[in-house]
């Protein structure tokens, strides 16, 4: 096993190749009646250009996606953004269908170093997620900027959200803070769906997780995911991803 | 001339096909020493899935891009986002190079109706930019939400910015408010470049404009654009776009 694979397995035991994750999302979607033709995708990943590969795979499977991205994958898009995306959805059988993908990201390099990656044309190591690394650096220095800064809006809002969930006198590492970001993003997505989805006319699927950049490709560890069908929230079992992509599953 | 072409020419006389605009950006870039290999692209368009085609064209020409998008193309990404993008740039000849694209968007349909477009799988007309249309609707009703709403962050911030530039007792139309958004985005881009670009180690190109969705493809009307080379700001003459894509210009 490569150093990357060992580190990825240790920290993100549920990670799988991003193309398998996207194929699983399609297979799971089909069970609920969601297809590329009758559904609009909304994709919230980090703004980092590394995130684009997963976005492209999702769009390859689900079609052109409304762009929900923010620093660290945070859903700053707000109610008008959600409502605009909904207003662009296909209407099939009298109903609209939305599929959301929302997750933070992290890199692991070939030596198994968490947070490290290479950038095209740039010597030396780089890091991802830069916004979460920046937060941890401020935390180490006990100088976390928490006042909303109009010139650094997304980072200061991100830091407010993270600081609310970091226990005082505890120094999280990058994996821990990435998991915290995933939980915040899932909470925000759940809240925004409750606020904007009209169960009389629309159903949705919500996929959260963690995007992982490896030296030879991308991975996703699926997180809590759910469907809202006719107003009823149905959790998607983590095993559904495994089943959907196992040989013979027809994914 | 089609009804679309007539309306597009009337409202956006400088519009040209989006592929020609992107080709011109490459040709202009070459004059300043910017190429896909030595430059990172940062692309701020509206979150609307219609905007993706231009994003894809820019990425096809300039490589994977940091995602600066926000509702109506507003640059909410902030200082940390700009700095993160810079930290991902190639280093060539000891210098970093950034190319920014930042613009709002508007649709014009086949009948020449400004703001109207079709959406895949959805009957009836749709509109773009939805965020600007929503602002105009609130303005018509004299009920513009200007208090920052954490659950509708980008729209309320957008409305604050727009309301600052709309003369009182004047009702702008969609073209006028789209031009206002373009000016705000250009001002924000200029300010963020001054705040984050280190002229000792980096140069940049900044392209603003308006993205136009037609019934048969996309267009861009170039707006004020400039380079910052060795700390000196050099405006890019609007004629440079014409020259770069005219026959024989080698673009």
């Amino acid at each position: 096993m490569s150093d990357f694979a060992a580190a990825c397995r240790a920290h993100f035991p549920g990670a799988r190749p991003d193309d398998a994750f996207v194929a699983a999302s399609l297979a799971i979607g089909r069970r609920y009646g969601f297809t590329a033709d009758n559904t609009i995708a909304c994709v919230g990943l980090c703004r980092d250009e590394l995130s684009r590969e997963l976005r492209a795979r999702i769009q390859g499977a689900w079609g052109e996606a409304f762009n929900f991205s923010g620093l660290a994958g945070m859903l700053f898009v707000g109610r008008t953004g959600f409502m605009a995306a909904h207003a662009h959805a296909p209407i099939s059988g009298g109903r609209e269908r939305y599929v959301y993908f929302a997750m933070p990201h992290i890199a692991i390099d070939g030596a198994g170093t968490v947070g490290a990656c290479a950038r095209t044309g740039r010597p030396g190591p780089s890091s991802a997620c830069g916004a979460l690394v920046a937060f941890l650096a401020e935390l180490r220095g006990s100088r976390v900027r928490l006042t909303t800064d109009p010139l650094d809006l997304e980072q200061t809002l991100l830091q407010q959200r993270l600081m609310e969930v970091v226990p005082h006198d505890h120094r999280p590492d990058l994996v821990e803070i990435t998991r915290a970001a995933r939980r915040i993003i899932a909470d925000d997505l759940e809240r925004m769906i409750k606020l904007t989805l009209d169960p009389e006319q629309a159903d949705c699927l919500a996929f959260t997780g963690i995007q992982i950049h490896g030296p030879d490709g991308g991975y996703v560890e699926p997180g809590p995911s759910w469907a809202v069908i006719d107003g009823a929230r149905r959790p998607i079992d983590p095993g559904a991803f495994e089943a959907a992509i196992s040989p013979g599953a027809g994914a």
Side-chain angles (χ1 to χ4, degrees), chain A residues 5-151:
Chain A
C8 187
R9 181 177 293 187
H11 295 296
F12 302 102
R16 61 204 65 216
D18 56 7
D19 53 352
F21 166 77
V22 172
S25 75
L26 270 180
I28 291 167
R30 275 198 297 272
R31 291 186 212 156
Y32 292 99
F34 288 63
T35 66
D37 286 342
N38 69 18
T39 303
I40 189 167
C42 304
V43 180
L45 304 174
C46 185
R47 296 183 176 281
D48 189 324
E49 74 282 359
L50 283 181
S51 295
R52 201 201 70 93
E53 189 174 344
L54 176 57
R55 168 184 307 282
R57 287 192 195 283
I58 293 169
Q59 295 191 134
W62 286 99
E64 306 284 306
F66 203 92
N67 184 344
F68 272 22
S69 293
L71 278 189
M74 294 286 286
L75 292 170
F76 296 125
V77 54
R79 191 170 58 230
T80 298
F82 273 75
M83 299 298 281
H86 297 173
H88 301 173
I91 300 179
S92 173
R95 290 188 77 76
E96 302 175 1
R97 291 170 189 83
Y98 324 130
V99 57
Y100 306 101
F101 293 87
M103 57 187 82
H105 73 141
I106 192 169
I108 302 176
D109 71 7
T113 307
V114 172
C117 61
R119 303 276 178 181
T120 307
R122 190 174 180 94
S126 184
S127 60
C129 171
L132 297 178
V133 167
F135 169 74
L136 291 178
E138 294 197 7
L139 198 61
R140 274 196 307 276
S142 292
R143 297 175 69 95
V144 179
R145 293 172 302 136
L146 294 172
T147 304
T148 305
D149 180 351
L151 295 176

Side-chain angles (χ1 to χ4, degrees), chain A residues 157-205:
Chain A
L157 292 174
L158 168 66
Q159 299 199 154
Q160 291 167 10
R161 298 300 303 279
L162 292 171
M163 203 65 183
E164 286 180 341
V165 300
V166 172
H168 199 61
D169 286 341
H170 171 69
R171 285 195 182 163
D173 63 16
L174 186 59
V175 170
E176 189 178 345
I177 210 68
T178 304
R179 291 202 177 283
R182 193 205 55 66
R183 285 192 297 273
I184 290 169
I185 291 166
D187 288 348
D188 286 356
L189 180 57
E190 181 109 43
R191 181 168 57 169
M192 293 308 297
I193 289 172
K194 284 181 182 160
L195 194 65
T196 61
L197 183 129
D198 176 0
E200 297 294 318
Q201 63 179 34
D203 302 314
C204 79
L205 287 172

Side-chain angles (χ1 to χ4, degrees), chain A residues 179-251:
Chain A
R179 291 202 177 283
R182 193 205 55 66
R183 285 192 297 273
I184 290 169
I185 291 166
D187 288 348
D188 286 356
L189 180 57
E190 181 109 43
R191 181 168 57 169
M192 293 308 297
I193 289 172
K194 284 181 182 160
L195 194 65
T196 61
L197 183 129
D198 176 0
E200 297 294 318
Q201 63 179 34
D203 302 314
C204 79
L205 287 172
F207 294 105
T208 74
I210 294 175
Q211 182 186 12
I212 302 149
H213 310 287
D216 301 312
Y219 297 77
V220 172
E221 184 183 66
S225 299
W226 65 96
V228 181
I229 309 292
D230 293 325
R233 185 188 188 283
R234 306 183 191 179
I236 294 170
D237 185 80
F241 291 92
E242 204 56 60
I245 61 172
S246 64

